CSV table of all heavy atoms in Angstrom, one decimal:
chain,number,residue,atom,x,y,z
A,576,LEU,N,132.5,108.5,122.9
A,576,LEU,CA,133.3,107.5,122.2
A,576,LEU,C,133.9,108.2,120.9
A,576,LEU,O,134.6,107.5,120.2
A,576,LEU,CB,132.4,106.3,121.8
A,576,LEU,CG,131.7,105.6,122.9
A,576,LEU,CD1,130.9,104.5,122.3
A,576,LEU,CD2,132.8,105.0,123.9
A,577,GLY,N,133.5,109.4,120.6
A,577,GLY,CA,134.0,110.1,119.5
A,577,GLY,C,133.2,110.0,118.2
A,577,GLY,O,133.6,110.2,117.1
A,578,ALA,N,131.9,109.7,118.4
A,578,ALA,CA,130.9,109.6,117.3
A,578,ALA,C,129.9,110.7,117.4
A,578,ALA,O,129.4,111.0,118.5
A,578,ALA,CB,130.3,108.2,117.3
A,579,PRO,N,129.5,111.3,116.2
A,579,PRO,CA,128.4,112.2,116.2
A,579,PRO,C,127.0,111.5,116.3
A,579,PRO,O,126.9,110.4,115.8
A,579,PRO,CB,128.6,113.0,114.9
A,579,PRO,CG,129.3,112.0,114.0
A,579,PRO,CD,130.1,111.1,114.9
A,580,LEU,N,126.0,112.3,116.8
A,580,LEU,CA,124.7,111.8,116.8
A,580,LEU,C,123.8,112.9,116.3
A,580,LEU,O,123.7,114.0,116.8
A,580,LEU,CB,124.2,111.5,118.3
A,580,LEU,CG,122.7,111.2,118.5
A,580,LEU,CD1,122.3,110.0,117.8
A,580,LEU,CD2,122.4,111.1,120.0
A,581,LEU,N,123.1,112.5,115.2
A,581,LEU,CA,122.1,113.5,114.6
A,581,LEU,C,120.7,113.1,115.1
A,581,LEU,O,120.4,111.9,115.1
A,581,LEU,CB,122.1,113.3,113.0
A,581,LEU,CG,121.1,114.1,112.3
A,581,LEU,CD1,121.3,115.6,112.5
A,581,LEU,CD2,121.2,113.8,110.8
A,582,ARG,N,120.0,114.1,115.6
A,582,ARG,CA,118.7,113.8,116.1
A,582,ARG,C,117.7,114.8,115.6
A,582,ARG,O,118.0,116.0,115.6
A,582,ARG,CB,118.7,113.7,117.6
A,582,ARG,CG,119.0,115.0,118.4
A,582,ARG,CD,118.9,114.7,119.9
A,582,ARG,NE,119.3,115.9,120.6
A,582,ARG,CZ,119.5,115.9,122.0
A,582,ARG,NH1,119.3,114.8,122.6
A,582,ARG,NH2,119.8,117.0,122.6
A,583,ALA,N,116.5,114.4,115.3
A,583,ALA,CA,115.4,115.2,114.9
A,583,ALA,C,114.7,115.8,116.2
A,583,ALA,O,114.6,115.2,117.2
A,583,ALA,CB,114.4,114.5,114.1
A,584,ARG,N,114.3,117.1,116.1
A,584,ARG,CA,113.4,117.7,117.1
A,584,ARG,C,112.0,117.6,116.7
A,584,ARG,O,111.1,117.6,117.5
A,584,ARG,CB,113.9,119.1,117.3
A,584,ARG,CG,115.2,119.3,118.0
A,584,ARG,CD,115.1,119.2,119.5
A,584,ARG,NE,116.4,119.5,120.1
A,584,ARG,CZ,116.9,120.7,120.3
A,584,ARG,NH1,116.3,121.8,119.8
A,584,ARG,NH2,118.0,120.9,121.0
A,585,PHE,N,111.7,117.6,115.3
A,585,PHE,CA,110.3,117.5,114.9
A,585,PHE,C,109.9,116.0,115.0
A,585,PHE,O,110.7,115.1,114.9
A,585,PHE,CB,110.2,117.9,113.4
A,585,PHE,CG,111.2,117.2,112.5
A,585,PHE,CD1,110.9,116.0,111.9
A,585,PHE,CD2,112.4,117.8,112.1
A,585,PHE,CE1,111.8,115.4,111.1
A,585,PHE,CE2,113.3,117.2,111.3
A,585,PHE,CZ,113.0,116.0,110.7
A,586,PRO,N,108.6,115.8,115.3
A,586,PRO,CA,108.2,114.4,115.6
A,586,PRO,C,107.9,113.7,114.3
A,586,PRO,O,107.6,114.3,113.3
A,586,PRO,CB,106.9,114.6,116.4
A,586,PRO,CG,106.4,116.0,116.0
A,586,PRO,CD,107.6,116.8,115.7
A,587,ARG,N,107.9,112.4,114.4
A,587,ARG,CA,107.6,111.5,113.3
A,587,ARG,C,106.2,111.7,112.8
A,587,ARG,O,105.9,111.6,111.6
A,587,ARG,CB,107.8,110.1,113.7
A,587,ARG,CG,107.5,109.0,112.6
A,587,ARG,CD,107.5,107.6,113.2
A,587,ARG,NE,107.4,106.6,112.1
A,587,ARG,CZ,107.3,105.3,112.4
A,587,ARG,NH1,107.3,104.9,113.6
A,587,ARG,NH2,107.2,104.5,111.4
A,588,ALA,N,105.2,112.0,113.7
A,588,ALA,CA,103.9,112.2,113.3
A,588,ALA,C,103.7,113.5,112.4
A,588,ALA,O,102.8,113.6,111.6
A,588,ALA,CB,103.0,112.4,114.5
A,589,TYR,N,104.7,114.4,112.5
A,589,TYR,CA,104.7,115.6,111.7
A,589,TYR,C,105.4,115.5,110.4
A,589,TYR,O,104.9,116.0,109.4
A,589,TYR,CB,105.4,116.7,112.6
A,589,TYR,CG,105.3,118.1,112.0
A,589,TYR,CD1,104.1,118.8,112.0
A,589,TYR,CD2,106.4,118.7,111.5
A,589,TYR,CE1,104.0,120.1,111.5
A,589,TYR,CE2,106.4,120.0,111.0
A,589,TYR,CZ,105.2,120.7,111.0
A,589,TYR,OH,105.1,122.0,110.5
A,590,LEU,N,106.5,114.7,110.4
A,590,LEU,CA,107.2,114.5,109.2
A,590,LEU,C,108.1,113.3,109.4
A,590,LEU,O,108.8,113.2,110.4
A,590,LEU,CB,108.1,115.7,108.8
A,590,LEU,CG,109.0,115.5,107.6
A,590,LEU,CD1,108.3,115.5,106.3
A,590,LEU,CD2,110.2,116.5,107.6
A,591,ASP,N,108.1,112.3,108.5
A,591,ASP,CA,108.9,111.1,108.7
A,591,ASP,C,110.1,111.1,107.6
A,591,ASP,O,109.9,110.9,106.4
A,591,ASP,CB,108.1,109.9,108.5
A,591,ASP,CG,108.8,108.6,108.9
A,591,ASP,OD1,110.0,108.6,109.1
A,591,ASP,OD2,108.1,107.6,109.1
A,592,VAL,N,111.3,111.4,108.1
A,592,VAL,CA,112.5,111.4,107.2
A,592,VAL,C,112.9,110.0,106.9
A,592,VAL,O,113.9,109.8,106.1
A,592,VAL,CB,113.6,112.2,107.8
A,592,VAL,CG1,113.3,113.7,107.8
A,592,VAL,CG2,114.0,111.7,109.2
A,593,ASN,N,112.3,108.9,107.4
A,593,ASN,CA,112.7,107.6,107.1
A,593,ASN,C,111.7,107.0,106.0
A,593,ASN,O,111.4,105.9,106.0
A,593,ASN,CB,112.6,106.7,108.3
A,593,ASN,CG,113.4,105.4,108.1
A,593,ASN,OD1,114.3,105.3,107.3
A,593,ASN,ND2,113.0,104.3,108.9
A,594,ARG,N,111.4,107.9,105.1
A,594,ARG,CA,110.5,107.6,104.0
A,594,ARG,C,111.2,108.3,102.7
A,594,ARG,O,112.0,109.1,102.9
A,594,ARG,CB,109.1,108.2,104.1
A,594,ARG,CG,108.4,107.6,105.3
A,594,ARG,CD,108.0,106.1,105.1
A,594,ARG,NE,107.2,105.6,106.2
A,594,ARG,CZ,107.7,104.8,107.1
A,594,ARG,NH1,109.0,104.5,107.1
A,594,ARG,NH2,107.0,104.3,108.1
A,595,GLU,N,110.7,107.9,101.5
A,595,GLU,CA,111.1,108.7,100.4
A,595,GLU,C,110.5,110.1,100.6
A,595,GLU,O,109.6,110.3,101.4
A,595,GLU,CB,110.4,108.1,99.1
A,595,GLU,CG,110.8,106.7,98.7
A,595,GLU,CD,110.0,106.2,97.6
A,595,GLU,OE1,109.4,107.0,96.9
A,595,GLU,OE2,109.9,104.9,97.4
A,596,PRO,N,111.1,111.1,99.9
A,596,PRO,CA,110.7,112.5,100.1
A,596,PRO,C,109.2,112.7,99.8
A,596,PRO,O,108.6,113.6,100.4
A,596,PRO,CB,111.6,113.3,99.3
A,596,PRO,CG,112.2,112.4,98.3
A,596,PRO,CD,112.2,111.0,98.9
A,597,TYR,N,108.6,112.0,98.9
A,597,TYR,CA,107.2,112.3,98.5
A,597,TYR,C,106.3,111.1,98.5
A,597,TYR,O,105.5,110.9,97.6
A,597,TYR,CB,107.2,112.9,97.1
A,597,TYR,CG,108.0,114.2,97.0
A,597,TYR,CD1,109.3,114.2,96.5
A,597,TYR,CD2,107.5,115.4,97.5
A,597,TYR,CE1,110.1,115.4,96.4
A,597,TYR,CE2,108.2,116.6,97.4
A,597,TYR,CZ,109.5,116.6,96.9
A,597,TYR,OH,110.3,117.7,96.8
A,598,GLU,N,106.4,110.3,99.6
A,598,GLU,CA,105.4,109.2,99.8
A,598,GLU,C,104.2,109.9,100.4
A,598,GLU,O,104.1,110.0,101.6
A,598,GLU,CB,106.0,108.1,100.6
A,598,GLU,CG,107.0,107.3,99.9
A,598,GLU,CD,107.4,106.1,100.7
A,598,GLU,OE1,106.6,105.1,100.8
A,598,GLU,OE2,108.5,106.1,101.4
A,599,LEU,N,103.2,110.2,99.6
A,599,LEU,CA,102.0,111.0,100.1
A,599,LEU,C,100.7,110.4,99.7
A,599,LEU,O,100.5,109.8,98.7
A,599,LEU,CB,102.1,112.4,99.5
A,599,LEU,CG,103.4,113.2,99.8
A,599,LEU,CD1,103.4,114.5,99.0
A,599,LEU,CD2,103.5,113.5,101.3
A,600,ASP,N,99.8,110.5,100.7
A,600,ASP,CA,98.5,109.8,100.5
A,600,ASP,C,97.5,110.8,100.0
A,600,ASP,O,97.1,111.8,100.7
A,600,ASP,CB,98.0,109.3,101.9
A,600,ASP,CG,96.7,108.6,101.9
A,600,ASP,OD1,96.0,108.7,100.9
A,600,ASP,OD2,96.4,107.9,102.9
A,601,PRO,N,97.0,110.7,98.8
A,601,PRO,CA,96.0,111.7,98.2
A,601,PRO,C,94.8,111.9,99.0
A,601,PRO,O,94.2,113.0,99.0
A,601,PRO,CB,95.7,111.1,96.8
A,601,PRO,CG,96.1,109.7,96.9
A,601,PRO,CD,97.2,109.5,97.9
A,602,LYS,N,94.4,110.9,99.9
A,602,LYS,CA,93.2,111.0,100.7
A,602,LYS,C,93.3,112.1,101.8
A,602,LYS,O,92.3,112.5,102.4
A,602,LYS,CB,92.8,109.7,101.3
A,602,LYS,CG,92.4,108.6,100.2
A,602,LYS,CD,91.9,107.4,100.9
A,602,LYS,CE,92.9,106.7,101.8
A,602,LYS,NZ,94.0,106.1,101.0
A,603,MET,N,94.6,112.5,102.0
A,603,MET,CA,94.8,113.4,103.2
A,603,MET,C,94.7,114.9,102.8
A,603,MET,O,94.6,115.7,103.7
A,603,MET,CB,96.2,113.2,103.7
A,603,MET,CG,96.4,111.9,104.5
A,603,MET,SD,98.1,111.7,105.0
A,603,MET,CE,98.4,113.1,106.0
A,604,TYR,N,94.6,115.2,101.5
A,604,TYR,CA,94.8,116.6,101.1
A,604,TYR,C,93.6,117.2,100.4
A,604,TYR,O,92.8,116.5,99.7
A,604,TYR,CB,96.1,116.6,100.1
A,604,TYR,CG,97.3,116.1,100.8
A,604,TYR,CD1,97.7,114.8,100.6
A,604,TYR,CD2,97.9,116.9,101.8
A,604,TYR,CE1,98.8,114.3,101.3
A,604,TYR,CE2,99.0,116.4,102.5
A,604,TYR,CZ,99.5,115.1,102.2
A,604,TYR,OH,100.5,114.6,103.0
A,605,GLU,N,93.5,118.5,100.5
A,605,GLU,CA,92.4,119.3,100.0
A,605,GLU,C,92.5,119.3,98.4
A,605,GLU,O,91.5,119.4,97.7
A,605,GLU,CB,92.4,120.7,100.5
A,605,GLU,CG,92.2,120.8,102.0
A,605,GLU,CD,92.3,122.2,102.5
A,605,GLU,OE1,92.9,123.0,101.8
A,605,GLU,OE2,92.0,122.4,103.7
A,606,ASP,N,93.8,119.4,97.9
A,606,ASP,CA,94.0,119.6,96.5
A,606,ASP,C,94.8,118.5,95.9
A,606,ASP,O,95.3,117.6,96.6
A,606,ASP,CB,94.6,121.0,96.2
A,606,ASP,CG,95.5,121.4,97.3
A,606,ASP,OD1,95.6,120.8,98.4
A,606,ASP,OD2,96.2,122.4,97.1
A,607,ARG,N,95.1,118.6,94.6
A,607,ARG,CA,95.8,117.5,93.9
A,607,ARG,C,97.3,117.5,94.3
A,607,ARG,O,97.9,118.5,94.3
A,607,ARG,CB,95.6,117.7,92.4
A,607,ARG,CG,96.2,116.6,91.6
A,607,ARG,CD,96.0,116.9,90.1
A,607,ARG,NE,94.6,117.0,89.7
A,607,ARG,CZ,93.9,116.0,89.4
A,607,ARG,NH1,94.4,114.7,89.4
A,607,ARG,NH2,92.6,116.1,89.0
A,608,LEU,N,97.8,116.3,94.4
A,608,LEU,CA,99.3,116.1,94.7
A,608,LEU,C,100.0,116.3,93.4
A,608,LEU,O,99.5,116.1,92.3
A,608,LEU,CB,99.5,114.7,95.2
A,608,LEU,CG,99.1,114.5,96.7
A,608,LEU,CD1,99.2,113.0,97.0
A,608,LEU,CD2,100.0,115.3,97.6
A,609,PRO,N,101.3,116.7,93.5
A,609,PRO,CA,102.1,116.8,92.2
A,609,PRO,C,102.3,115.4,91.6
A,609,PRO,O,102.3,114.4,92.3
A,609,PRO,CB,103.5,117.4,92.7
A,609,PRO,CG,103.5,117.1,94.2
A,609,PRO,CD,102.1,117.2,94.7
A,610,SER,N,102.6,115.4,90.3
A,610,SER,CA,102.7,114.1,89.6
A,610,SER,C,103.8,113.3,90.1
A,610,SER,O,103.8,112.0,89.9
A,610,SER,CB,102.9,114.4,88.1
A,610,SER,OG,104.0,115.2,87.9
A,611,TYR,N,104.9,113.8,90.7
A,611,TYR,CA,106.0,113.1,91.1
A,611,TYR,C,105.8,112.4,92.5
A,611,TYR,O,106.6,111.6,92.9
A,611,TYR,CB,107.3,113.9,91.2
A,611,TYR,CG,107.1,115.2,91.9
A,611,TYR,CD1,107.2,115.3,93.3
A,611,TYR,CD2,106.9,116.4,91.2
A,611,TYR,CE1,107.0,116.5,94.0
A,611,TYR,CE2,106.8,117.6,91.9
A,611,TYR,CZ,106.8,117.6,93.3
A,611,TYR,OH,106.7,118.8,94.0
A,612,ALA,N,104.7,112.6,93.1
A,612,ALA,CA,104.4,112.0,94.4
A,612,ALA,C,104.2,110.5,94.2
A,612,ALA,O,103.6,110.0,93.3
A,612,ALA,CB,103.2,112.6,95.1
A,613,ASN,N,104.8,109.7,95.2
A,613,ASN,CA,104.6,108.3,95.2
A,613,ASN,C,103.3,108.0,96.0
A,613,ASN,O,103.4,108.0,97.3
A,613,ASN,CB,105.8,107.6,95.7
A,613,ASN,CG,105.6,106.1,95.8
A,613,ASN,OD1,104.6,105.5,95.5
A,613,ASN,ND2,106.7,105.4,96.2
A,614,ILE,N,102.2,107.7,95.4
A,614,ILE,CA,100.9,107.6,96.1
A,614,ILE,C,100.6,106.1,96.3
A,614,ILE,O,99.5,105.8,96.9
A,614,ILE,CB,99.8,108.3,95.4
A,614,ILE,CG1,99.5,107.7,94.1
A,614,ILE,CG2,100.1,109.8,95.3
A,614,ILE,CD1,98.3,108.3,93.4
A,615,ARG,N,101.4,105.2,95.8
A,615,ARG,CA,101.0,103.8,95.8
A,615,ARG,C,102.0,102.9,96.6
A,615,ARG,O,101.9,101.7,96.5
A,615,ARG,CB,101.0,103.3,94.3
A,615,ARG,CG,99.9,103.9,93.5
A,615,ARG,CD,99.8,103.3,92.1
A,615,ARG,NE,98.6,103.8,91.4
A,615,ARG,CZ,98.6,104.9,90.7
A,615,ARG,NH1,99.7,105.6,90.6
A,615,ARG,NH2,97.5,105.3,90.1
A,616,SER,N,102.8,103.5,97.4
A,616,SER,CA,103.7,102.6,98.2
A,616,SER,C,102.9,101.9,99.3
A,616,SER,O,101.9,102.4,99.7
A,616,SER,CB,104.9,103.5,98.8
A,616,SER,OG,104.4,104.2,100.0
A,617,LEU,N,103.5,100.8,99.8
A,617,LEU,CA,102.9,100.1,100.9
A,617,LEU,C,102.8,101.0,102.2
A,617,LEU,O,101.8,100.9,103.0
A,617,LEU,CB,103.6,98.8,101.2
A,617,LEU,CG,103.5,97.7,100.1
A,617,LEU,CD1,104.4,96.5,100.5
A,617,LEU,CD2,102.1,97.3,99.9
A,618,ARG,N,103.8,101.8,102.3
A,618,ARG,CA,103.8,102.7,103.5
A,618,ARG,C,102.7,103.7,103.5
A,618,ARG,O,102.0,104.0,104.5
A,618,ARG,CB,105.2,103.3,103.7
A,618,ARG,CG,106.2,102.3,104.0
A,618,ARG,CD,107.6,102.8,104.1
A,618,ARG,NE,108.2,103.2,102.9
A,618,ARG,CZ,109.5,103.1,102.6
A,618,ARG,NH1,110.4,102.6,103.5
A,618,ARG,NH2,110.0,103.5,101.4
A,619,VAL,N,102.4,104.3,102.3
A,619,VAL,CA,101.3,105.2,102.1
A,619,VAL,C,100.0,104.4,102.4
A,619,VAL,O,99.1,104.9,103.1
A,619,VAL,CB,101.3,105.8,100.7
A,619,VAL,CG1,100.0,106.5,100.4
A,619,VAL,CG2,102.4,106.8,100.6
A,620,ALA,N,99.9,103.2,101.8
A,620,ALA,CA,98.6,102.4,102.0
A,620,ALA,C,98.4,102.2,103.5
A,620,ALA,O,97.2,102.1,104.0
A,620,ALA,CB,98.7,101.1,101.3
A,621,GLY,N,99.5,102.0,104.3
A,621,GLY,CA,99.3,101.8,105.7
A,621,GLY,C,99.2,103.0,106.6
A,621,GLY,O,99.1,103.0,107.8
A,622,GLY,N,99.1,104.2,105.9
A,622,GLY,CA,98.9,105.4,106.6
A,622,GLY,C,100.2,106.0,107.2
A,622,GLY,O,100.1,107.0,107.9
């Protein structure tokens, strides 16, 4: 139809581009997250 389609090859379980860039759950990591990480979003709370 004349429209481009952008598609990810990496899976959502590996990286989710439909989130803010730094919505990160501190419980997942060995070390401290950077101060700019959003650790309190509802999406982080839901895993």
Side-chain angles (χ1 to χ4, degrees):
L576 304 176
L580 169 65
L581 175 62
R582 64 179 177 187
R584 292 274 188 77
F585 53 84
R587 180 188 187 185
Y589 187 72
L590 174 78
D591 193 343
V592 291
N593 199 24
R594 299 288 182 261
E595 297 174 20
Y597 299 102
E598 287 189 78
L599 301 173
D600 184 345
K602 296 189 296 294
M603 291 177 57
Y604 301 100
E605 296 174 348
D606 34 350
R607 186 183 298 274
L608 288 169
S610 60
Y611 51 79
N613 180 355
I614 64 174
R615 293 185 174 86
S616 77
L617 290 176
R618 292 178 287 213
V619 167

